[in-house]
Structure formats: C-alpha cells, structure tokens
Amino acid sequence: MKKSVFSFLFLALVLSLYAQDGSNKLSYKFYGFVRGDFVFDTRQSVAANEGLFFLYPKDESLDANGKDLNEVASSGFYTFNTRAGIDVSGLQVFDANVSLKAEADFAGFSGSYGANSTVFRIRQAYIKMDWDKSSLLLGQTWHPMFQVIPNVISLSTGAPFNPFNRSPQIRFDYKADKLTLTGAAIYQLQYTSSGPEGKTNTYQRNAIIPELYAGVDYKINTFNVGAGIDYLTIKPRTTSSVIYSDPSNPNFRETLFYKVDESLSSLSYSAYVKYSKDLFSITAKTIYGQNNSNLCMLGGYGVKQIDTNTGEQEYTNYTHSSTWLNLSYGKKYMGNLFAGYTKNLGTKDALVSMKTYGEGLDIDNLYRFCGTFSYNVSKFSVGLEYEMTSAAYGNSGTFNENDGRYDKTHSVLNHRLIGVICYNF
C-alpha cells in the first residue's frame, strides 16, 4: 500500500513540475476530500467495505430457540473513503484537446493484509480526446448507466436501486446542440458477473464480446431526460463434468470431463428525467434489466436445460424492475428525500433446479425510504441520513421452478443511521 501511495504522489509531483515548464501548455488540478463516516444498523446486512456500502438486510437465520441470528445491531466509524485525484489537460493531438484523470481512494479491501484490510485503489484512470462535437474516452470510469444519481450521502449512492459500477471502457459521445448520443464497449474488472465460480470477470472474458451500451441524453433549460440500452454476454462455463456409473458394476464410478460452449446474453433498458430550478430538484430513474449483478443490483440467471450426456447447460435470465425518485431542496442547508423499489419478475423459462447465480435472487421485492439533511459551507459539509430498507425473502419450500420465484414471502427490515463529515480540497 505504501508503494502505491508513493507512486500516486510521485505522479502528482512530476505532473506539477511539468506543468510549470513554460515550453508547454500543460495544466493540472489536484483535488479530493477527507471524509469520515459513522454508521449504525439495527440488523446484519449484505454489504461491502466494512458494511459502509450497504445493499439490503440479511434474511432470517433462526437458532435452536427460534431467535434470529441476524437481528443484531452494529456500528462503526470509517475514514477509508478519503479520496484524491488529478486532472491534467493542455495537450493537443489529432486536432483534439487531450486530457487525463487519475483518481484513487483507500476503500479497496484485500485478505493479503489481514481480514478486511484497506488498500489504496484506483477508482478512475482514463484518457479523453475532445473535438468540437464529439469525444473519445479510453480507460476506467463510471458505467454509462450510473449517470443521473440520487442526492444521498450514503457511499452506495442509491444501490441496489441505481446501478453502481466503474469499469474499463471505450466510450464515444457525439453532441448535437442539446442532444448527446453515447456508445460504449465495456469490460468487467472490479464489478463482475456471478457464476459457478463466484463473482469473476472470467465469464465475460471467455465470451470475448464486451458489454455494449447505447444511449441518448437531452438537456433543455431546467430539464434533462435520457434513455439507454445495455447488452451483456457471458460464458459461465467452458468445461463440464459428468459422473458415469456402470449398471453392471455398482462399485464403478468415473468422472468424465467435456468441453462445452455455454453462453447467455442479457438486455437492460434505462430511462431517467431530472428537473432543476433554483434550489429545488426532482430526479427519477427506472431500469428494466436482466442479469444485473455486475451493476450492484439484484439480478442473475438460472439453468433451464441440461444435456444428460455431456452436462452442457442452457441458461435463462432473471428480470428485475427497479425505480427510484429523489427530491432535493437547498444549498447551504439541504434537505433530501429518496424512495426506491425493486421487483423480481422471475425467469421467462422454467428452471430445472433451484441452483441459481446472481445477487438477491431469493428476494421478491425490495424497497427503501431515505431522508437526508446536510449543512454545506464552501468546501466543508456535515450531514445526517436515515435509511429504512425492507426485503421480502422467499419462504423455504415455496420455490416455484416455473419462473424462479417464491410463492410465499416474509419481510425483514433494517434501520440505518449515517453521519458524515467531509472537507473538500
């Protein structure tokens, strides 16, 4: 970690000295913030980064006396979300203004330094070329479906109701007056799809085809509306294993391995609208998507058919609908209200087993209400946020293989209190 920090600071120093050289027009901006987060939860949760990146409450887990093992409160205070970045501009190549961004924080985790140790990690790192009406970005930045986000102070920024993903990509934007057209080819790295080996980018790499996105954004006066479509292909397995037994010899069993050609394609659609005037803003987004676990949303897939000879499988997507609404008012004193709802719409095809791959597939619906108040002066801010998140889990023994959902559910609830203090520079 010390070596990574040193390298990042050394880069900042080199760029600083280079920018001061009168023989070029290179300029840079060093930015970031120091932030502290206090978090209190009434229930154990499915979350990342020491529980700071909250998704939804865990299901009931009853002990021998019928007491819920997950009904346990927790709290913590963290500063690893502290962030630093560099913007560099001034270079011209191919009649384009070339800029770069390198941004990092301490919110990465690695078992190599002990359980849940924080490590220095790159958030964004890209080169961008700007022409009069178009731009080309190459590197890691926010997924195009992340744009237009709720004004909350929680680190998860509205997930799992809103996509949350930073990935390497090649992105092209074309601007015509108030209209912007976007096309992107995206590769998984930190935020990955689920599969037989857990969460890994191997499934997308083996599929060869990058994730493809096309979108349109229109801004006029106080309105901003847009829509997009996302296409993802993964290859969950390249080999299968089948246990062969000889009917004439009950003691004979042999495992045979086969090369298989399995793939799954998924489509997701998004639409959003934002209205801002003076101190007031209202924002809404809706997503109708398949297999969106790589976006920190609920989603995944199941098996609809198995070849009994080779073990090769065919898959079917889970489809989820997610919608959120955000109201915000103020600047120095800012109040904010957020509401989000996600519904599991199940699979199109019947499943041949209960074995599924994804995030939160045993949840029928999920909703959240959130209220935020913050005080903001110049580069200093302090805020308090309350979240109530409810998850309706499927009851044991009620799984319906016709659509991959549960016929009966029960709900669990988490109350979360977040306090944040932040100084920007």
Side-chain angles (χ1 to χ4, degrees):
M1 184 181 74
K2 291 181 179 179
K3 187 178 293 185
S4 299
V5 174
F6 176 78
S7 301
F8 191 80
L9 295 177
F10 179 74
L11 175 61
L13 177 61
V14 171
L15 291 173
S16 173
L17 295 174
Y18 185 62
Q20 296 175 20
D21 185 355
S23 63
N24 61 77
K25 299 179 181 180
L26 192 67
S27 62
Y28 75 101
K29 178 183 178 182
F30 186 69
Y31 68 92
F33 58 72
V34 176
R35 169 170 163 159
D37 292 73
F38 170 80
V39 178
F40 171 80
D41 286 299
T42 60
R43 185 178 185 82
Q44 298 296 292
S45 60
V46 176
N49 290 17
E50 283 286 314
L52 191 56
F53 191 97
F54 175 84
L55 291 176
Y56 51 87
K58 286 185 177 180
D59 192 8
E60 293 177 341
S61 178
L62 304 181
D63 68 5
N65 293 323
K67 294 183 179 180
D68 187 358
L69 298 175
N70 287 326
E71 194 175 353
V72 177
S74 63
S75 67
F77 180 73
Y78 312 99
T79 58
F80 53 71
N81 196 34
T82 292
R83 188 177 307 168
I86 300 173
D87 286 323
V88 183
S89 61
L91 183 65
Q92 287 194 334
V93 178
F94 302 126
D95 296 323
N97 294 318
V98 182
S99 60
L100 71 83
K101 178 185 285 289
E103 182 181 281
D105 66 13
F106 297 87
F109 284 80
S110 172
S112 341
Y113 298 91
N116 292 330
S117 296
T118 56
V119 295
F120 195 66
R121 66 167 184 176
I122 293 295
R123 288 170 50 87
Q124 298 189 80
Y126 63 78
I127 296 172
K128 187 177 182 182
M129 305 177 70
D130 281 289
W131 292 272
D132 289 339
K133 293 186 177 181
S134 60
S135 65
L136 178 65
L137 182 149
L138 301 97
Q140 177 165 307
T141 189
W142 290 104
H143 193 287
M145 288 180 68
F146 176 77
Q147 64 183 350
V148 181
I149 60 176
N151 191 25
V152 295
I153 63 176
S154 170
L155 180 63
S156 57
T157 323
F161 307 95
N162 189 64
F164 190 102
N165 178 297
R166 291 184 301 272
S167 293
Q169 58 192 269
I170 302 170
R171 176 171 172 170
F172 182 78
D173 291 299
Y174 179 79
K175 300 178 182 179
D177 195 17
K178 298 178 177 63
L179 188 71
T180 300
L181 302 177
T182 298
I186 306 161
Y187 294 84
Q188 295 183 2
L189 183 61
Q190 180 183 355
Y191 301 89
T192 58
S193 296
S194 301
E197 298 177 13
K199 281 203 161 191
T200 170
N201 64 357
T202 301
Y203 314 126
Q204 191 205 33
R205 292 206 325 264
N206 288 341
I208 301 176
I209 304 172
E211 182 180 353
L212 301 174
Y213 174 87
V216 57
D217 181 89
Y218 184 74
K219 295 180 181 178
I220 179 170
N221 299 326
T222 57
F223 279 98
N224 178 199
V225 296
I229 181 172
D230 189 78
Y231 178 78
L232 172 67
T233 299
I234 61 172
K235 183 172 286 190
R237 300 189 309 170
T238 57
T239 61
S240 69
S241 60
V242 177
I243 298 177
Y244 173 75
S245 58
D246 188 349
S248 62
N249 184 0
N251 297 321
F252 178 83
R253 292 171 66 87
E254 181 182 10
T255 301
L256 302 178
F257 294 92
Y258 295 91
K259 181 179 180 180
V260 295
D261 185 19
E262 302 175 351
S263 64
L264 174 71
S265 296
S266 313
L267 282 171
S268 296
Y269 308 89
S270 62
Y272 56 84
V273 59
K274 182 175 183 178
Y275 170 81
S276 302
K277 187 174 183 180
D278 300 328
L279 300 179
F280 175 75
S281 71
I282 178 171
T283 312
K285 180 188 283 187
T286 186
I287 296 167
Y288 181 85
Q290 299 175 328
N291 191 22
N292 282 336
S293 63
N294 63 307
L295 299 176
C296 293
M297 302 182 72
L298 304 191
Y301 56 96
V303 180
K304 67 177 182 179
Q305 187 172 324
I306 300 177
D307 187 318
T308 54
N309 294 319
T310 65
E312 186 168 12
Q313 299 178 347
E314 291 184 27
Y315 302 95
T316 181
N317 288 296
Y318 271 84
T319 301
H320 284 75
S321 172
S322 185
T323 301
W324 58 262
L325 175 69
N326 186 209
L327 303 175
S328 182
Y329 182 83
K331 185 176 181 181
K332 182 177 181 180
Y333 300 97
M334 179 177 289
N336 183 73
L337 294 174
F338 170 87
Y341 180 78
T342 293
K343 176 66 176 177
N344 184 349
L345 302 177
T347 60
K348 178 182 177 181
D349 304 291
L351 304 180
V352 296
S353 76
M354 290 183 61
K355 182 62 178 176
T356 57
Y357 307 99
E359 183 69 50
L361 298 182
D362 54 349
I363 296 176
D364 179 77
N365 63 80
L366 186 72
Y367 69 82
R368 176 180 298 165
F369 294 108
C370 173
T372 310
F373 177 78
S374 62
Y375 173 75
N376 311 281
V377 177
S378 184
K379 295 182 180 298
F380 174 83
S381 65
V382 58
L384 188 66
E385 187 166 270
Y386 164 74
E387 282 185 358
M388 181 186 72
T389 305
S390 174
Y393 282 92
N395 290 351
S396 177
T398 67
F399 183 77
N400 189 336
E401 294 183 352
N402 291 323
D403 61 2
R405 299 166 60 193
Y406 288 81
D407 294 329
K408 295 182 179 180
T409 63
H410 61 276
S411 296
V412 295
L413 192 67
N414 179 67
H415 300 276
R416 162 168 279 219
L417 189 63
I418 308 170
V420 172
I421 184 170
C422 183
Y423 184 89
N424 296 274
F425 59 87

